[in-house]
Structure formats: C-alpha cells, structure tokens
Amino acid sequence: MLFVLDHEHSAENCPAGTVRPDKELLSKLEANAKTSGARLVEGYLDAPAHTFYFIVEADAAEQILKFTTPYLGVGKTDVHPVLKWSEALAISRKLGLQK
C-alpha cells in the first residue's frame, strides 16, 4: 500500500538548521526504510516551509512508524494512505461508479 507522509517542523527544530542540527537525519531515514521493510518511493522537500513529503510503500503501520522514528520528536507528521490514480480508476469502473 502507498502512503503519503507529510512532515512539518519549525525553523528552530529544523534538522538542517543551526539550532538543532541532525546531520544524520537522511541516513537514519534511509536505514530505517531498509530495516522496517518500507520502501521509500520518493521524497520531496519544501525547504522554506520546513516541510517534507514522502511517498512510502508499506504493508503495515509498524513499517511506517519505524520509518518516521528519526523525526517524530522534531515536528508533526501526517500519514495518508493513497491509491495510484490508475488503480482508483480501475476500482471505480469495476464497481460501476465510473464509465
């Protein structure tokens, strides 16, 4: 299943900033993705807004928790289960909701 994770933190808690830097954050995220069994499909960064967007593939909530552990104390992370557009269309057509 695919998930979109959006993570926001303040400038003061920015892992790339000068107040609470964490030069290992990206390495931790990559390592946690491997050990959790989650697959990081892609990540996006809106640096001025201090927001990360991750597309993660996982089979269980525990994998998402393990992946996000390095930045749980840094800010707020919302997790959204999503379908690929093509899959949503196929399901909608199969159910007769779309032509």
Side-chain angles (χ1 to χ4, degrees), residues 2-99:
L2 286 176
F3 297 86
V4 174
L5 283 59
D6 81 62
H7 166 82
E8 297 178 21
H9 56 262
S10 67
E12 295 78 24
N13 285 335
C14 183
T18 57
V19 179
R20 291 187 61 200
D22 182 354
K23 295 184 180 190
E24 300 296 321
L25 179 70
L26 297 180
S27 297
K28 290 175 190 174
L29 287 172
E30 289 174 343
N32 279 6
K34 288 178 185 173
T35 61
S36 71
R39 184 174 77 85
L40 176 58
V41 175
E42 189 58 83
Y44 303 91
L45 172 64
D46 177 355
H50 295 274
T51 304
F52 298 149
Y53 300 95
F54 295 109
I55 310 300
V56 177
E57 189 171 23
D59 297 320
E62 293 83 11
Q63 293 171 309
I64 298 296
L65 180 59
K66 173 79 172 168
F67 175 78
T68 60
T69 298
Y71 56 90
L72 285 177
V74 176
K76 175 180 87 109
T77 302
D78 292 323
V79 178
H80 309 276
V82 296
L83 289 172
K84 290 182 182 178
W85 185 254
S86 58
E87 293 172 354
L89 286 176
I91 291 168
S92 295
R93 288 179 176 138
K94 184 177 179 179
L95 295 174
L97 301 172
Q98 294 293 312
K99 292 182 182 183

